[in-house]
Amino acid sequence: MDDDDHTTSDREHDKTPDEKRDKEQHTLTVDAMERANISIGDLWEHYFSMGGGVDEYEVTAYLHGLIELPAHERDCISQAVNELYDDLCRQQGAPYSSGHLRRGDA
């Protein structure tokens, strides 16, 4: 039986736990980017400044599900998304009556 004879659910069922975890990481990373409206360009710039080792073209291809990346590069992308997400969420927080966004702001 060749790949064309497998349904999508068959292919998902045949994946190893590591492949399923990698796919979930990809899906949740893209979801977080969409929720925070993070552009690929902004992500790549932050990722690269953190020491990311692949170019913007490869990050774009990964985010579109066209290529796989090594775990350390995926984790660096996830870290960059998380940092950008946190920054954006803090900026959009509800202010206190003093005008401060969160405890500890001067």
Side-chain angles (χ1 to χ4, degrees), residues 93-103 105-106:
Y96 295 100
S97 60
S98 65
H100 297 290
L101 291 177
R102 59 189 177 275
R103 187 181 304 152
D105 286 345

Side-chain angles (χ1 to χ4, degrees), residues 21-96:
R21 188 181 61 245
D22 296 350
K23 176 67 176 164
E24 182 179 29
Q25 180 183 25
H26 170 267
T27 300
L28 295 174
T29 298
V30 171
D31 181 62
M33 287 181 65
E34 289 173 355
R35 282 185 282 123
N37 200 27
I38 299 169
S39 72
I40 292 174
D42 288 343
L43 169 65
W44 183 80
E45 187 176 293
H46 192 71
Y47 157 83
F48 188 73
S49 74
M50 294 171 45
V54 300
D55 63 28
E56 187 173 359
Y57 178 78
E58 291 171 296
V59 170
T60 300
Y62 165 71
L63 293 170
H64 287 287
L66 301 174
I67 66 170
E68 295 179 9
L69 292 175
H72 66 278
E73 295 300 340
R74 293 193 319 266
D75 289 344
C76 192
I77 289 170
S78 292
Q79 180 67 32
V81 169
N82 289 336
E83 289 179 8
L84 291 170
Y85 189 93
D86 287 346
D87 288 346
L88 290 168
C89 290
R90 282 191 201 122
Q91 291 174 0
Q92 297 173 359
Y96 295 100

